[in-house]
Amino acid sequence: MQGAFDRRTTAEQAGRGVDLRGRHAIVTGANTGIGLETVRVLALCGAEVTMACRDAQRARVAREGLIAGAGGRVEPSRIDIAELDLASLASVRAFAAARTASARPIHLLINNAGVMLPDRRQTRDGFEAHLGVNHLGHFLLTLLLLDRIRQSAPARIVNVASDAMHFAALDEELTDLNWEARRYSGWRSYGSSKLMNLLFAGELNRRFGEDGVAAYALHPGIVQTELARDQPWWMLPVGLLMWPFMKGVDRGAATTVYAATAPELARAGETIYFSDCAPARTPKLAGQAGVAGRLWQRSAELVGHREQGQD
Ligand SMILES: NC(=O)c1ccc[n+]([C@@H]2O[C@H](COP(=O)([O-])OP(=O)(O)OC[C@H]3O[C@@H](n4cnc5c(N)ncnc54)[C@H](OP(=O)(O)O)[C@@H]3O)[C@@H](O)[C@H]2O)c1
């Protein structure tokens, strides 16, 4: 019911009445913050959920806490854990290989994990970390799981992006994606990776919408999570001042659950970017012909992914 929700809506309210029994969801970055709340609510709706996390011990603790806190409403067998480090393409490949080796369907892929860093860091494969973790890791993961997702249709892919995309430093030609030729800006690089999350969702719809796969991107709001953990100490007072005005994770996961489950979003239409469970404004570049396709191609080259039909 588009329009029935707003910024006060909680994830549980967004998922009310949704029956996900027999559906399997994978949530990346699921051991804390928005991802963990997303797992909790999808499981409450009846889904089987895989928590895809880089630190198995943190994931185990989070899973146990979730089950204990659910007061019997979440069957433990419905939630499993799998290791996935998006900063390593080898880890992404190993994760996807294990998923595709089993016959299990994938109805929902929630690309939620993310980092927000003040300085230039690199992934194991030499990519600037926002590009590598927030976009390329999820890009490769999604492509490697796509056949299974298409076989499981109707299916959805939800990219947790951010309104920080309005500060992106991307041009039409996608110049210097890896921040080698420019003065580095953590914030603009983060914003660029989040714009890539939106462009990627758009291109997924263009290529696979007819196959029953709908892809969305969203801004969760400004949410009380650990996202700012890497920011310098002098940012702490700013965070403390803002904290009371931020959404709790109960509301921070609402738009993710909405994009993943709302019946009216079964097929992706023109609007694929949401905030507060409602359509949200996107940067101009997102509407420019060819950019999303170019990003797809460039990303495939960067991660060394050859698509069917290429030799
Ligand atoms: N909080 C906000 O205000 C806000 C606003 C706009 C958008 N977002 C987006 O919301 C998403 C969730 O963030 P959050 O706010 O919930 O932050 P968070 O509490 O810091 O959670 C981030 C999650 O991502 C995981 N992660 C980080 N690097 C990873 C890697 N290399 N491989 C696999 N997982 C990795 C973290 O795992 P570890 O715990 O093991 O590090 C954690 O589970 C992100 O995409 C973020 O950009 C958040």
Side-chain angles (χ1 to χ4, degrees), residues 1-20 37-38 40-45 108 156 218 220 247 249-265 274-278:
M1 232 189 302
Q2 204 163 320
F5 301 137
D6 58 26
R7 74 176 306 279
R8 285 160 303 182
T9 303
T10 65
E12 268 198 64
Q13 287 166 342
R16 196 160 286 161
V18 171
D19 184 358
L20 295 179
E37 178 65 359
T38 302
R40 192 181 77 82
V41 174
L42 295 180
L44 283 176
C45 294
L108 290 172
R156 296 192 204 181
L218 65 100
K247 287 182 178 178
V249 284
D250 57 340
R251 291 190 285 141
T255 308
T256 304
V257 170
Y258 172 73
T261 66
E264 68 272 19
L265 301 183
F274 297 93
S275 174
D276 292 334
C277 303

Side-chain angles (χ1 to χ4, degrees), residues 3-65:
F5 301 137
D6 58 26
R7 74 176 306 279
R8 285 160 303 182
T9 303
T10 65
E12 268 198 64
Q13 287 166 342
R16 196 160 286 161
V18 171
D19 184 358
L20 295 179
R21 280 174 298 176
R23 317 287 288 166
H24 175 218
I26 295 176
V27 182
T28 69
N31 56 284
T32 187
I34 295 164
L36 180 58
E37 178 65 359
T38 302
V39 172
R40 192 181 77 82
V41 174
L42 295 180
L44 283 176
C45 294
E48 292 175 19
V49 190
T50 298
M51 300 171 67
C53 301
R54 67 172 156 180
D55 183 331
Q57 179 53 24
R58 283 197 83 188
R60 271 192 290 275
V61 172
R63 177 183 175 277
E64 278 163 27

Side-chain angles (χ1 to χ4, degrees), residues 165-238:
M165 67 174 65
H166 292 285
F167 298 95
L170 274 187
D171 63 19
E172 270 179 74
E173 298 308 319
L174 307 175
T175 313
D176 195 24
L177 280 186
N178 206 33
W179 290 85
E180 283 154 344
R182 310 175 262 180
R183 189 192 161 129
Y184 189 71
S185 159
W187 179 240
R188 302 200 77 191
S189 159
Y190 174 72
S192 300
S193 70
K194 293 289 142 181
L195 179 51
M196 293 181 217
N197 294 159
L198 170 64
L199 291 166
F200 180 36
E203 189 64 11
L204 279 166
N205 287 321
R206 203 179 66 76
R207 293 183 181 223
F208 303 106
E210 292 302 313
D211 299 349
V213 178
Y216 298 102
L218 65 100
H219 173 63
I222 310 292
V223 189
Q224 294 166 341
T225 68
E226 298 175 29
L227 188 66
R229 63 180 110 166
D230 292 291
Q231 297 302 315
W233 64 267
W234 47 264
M235 284 292 286
L236 190 64
V238 180

